[in-house]
């Protein structure tokens, strides 16, 4: 099972991706199309044209890792109208992996803990 940490940044490449690409091709997409450093430890998500296949590229200590998921039924739902590069949080990635369309479900206001301000000297 794939369990990303909550503090990791997730970048979705919203344009359809050729799933024949492997490490080198997806690394080039992350660097050139998304403008991010692939070895930073961030997750880079790529989805095919039919939205039935997903690959996640990330760098883990000594090298690149590639995680893939192919759906037997249904499609992945993601925000396709927000440009080429979409920032996701880990929760949105988990919803995407589970096939839940987050745009159709209401978002309620949640408590947010304020960070402590440093005392003025």
């Amino acid at each position: 099972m794939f369990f990303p940490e909550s503090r990791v940044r997730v970048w979705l490449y919203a344009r359809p991706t050729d799933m024949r690409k492997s490490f080198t091709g997806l690394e080039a997409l992350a660097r050139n199309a998304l403008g991010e450093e692939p070895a930073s430890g961030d997750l880079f998500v790529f989805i095919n044209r039919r939205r039935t296949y997903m690959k996640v590229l990330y760098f883990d200590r000594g090298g690149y890792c590639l995680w893939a998921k192919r759906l037997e039924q249904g499609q992945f739902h993601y925000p396709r109208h927000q440009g080429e590069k979409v920032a996701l949080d880990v929760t949105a990635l988990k919803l995407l992996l589970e096939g839940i369309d987050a745009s159709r479900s209401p978002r309620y206001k949640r408590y947010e803990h304020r960070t402590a301000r440093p005392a003025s000297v």
Side-chain angles (χ1 to χ4, degrees):
M1 196 71 182
F2 176 67
F3 297 109
E5 297 176 16
S6 62
R7 65 181 180 270
V8 172
R9 292 188 315 172
V10 180
W11 299 107
L12 170 68
Y13 182 59
R15 296 185 62 194
T17 305
D18 182 3
M19 286 296 129
R20 293 175 290 184
K21 292 183 186 294
S22 189
F23 297 96
T24 308
L26 295 176
E27 175 191 4
L29 270 178
R31 186 181 313 276
N32 300 327
L34 296 176
E36 296 292 330
E37 176 56 42
S40 64
D42 297 345
L43 301 178
F44 299 94
V45 180
F46 304 94
I47 299 176
N48 70 340
R49 184 176 308 279
R50 293 187 323 193
R51 298 182 305 174
T52 58
Y53 198 84
M54 174 192 298
K55 286 187 177 181
V56 179
L57 176 75
Y58 58 100
F59 191 83
D60 184 28
R61 288 180 243 158
Y64 286 101
C65 300
L66 192 60
W67 187 87
K69 182 173 183 174
R70 184 186 74 188
L71 296 178
E72 296 297 322
Q73 290 183 336
Q75 293 180 326
F76 292 111
H77 298 280
Y78 62 93
R80 289 177 284 161
H81 305 292
Q82 294 181 0
E84 193 171 85
K85 177 181 176 181
V86 179
L88 301 174
D89 57 357
V90 175
T91 304
L93 177 61
K94 288 179 183 179
L95 292 174
L96 180 66
L97 288 169
E98 291 298 321
I100 299 170
D101 188 1
S103 66
R104 294 184 182 218
S105 58
R107 297 197 110 185
Y108 299 104
K109 187 175 182 178
R110 298 284 187 217
Y111 173 75
E112 200 171 299
H113 184 70
R114 294 184 184 176
T115 57
R117 293 184 182 176
S120 58
V121 182

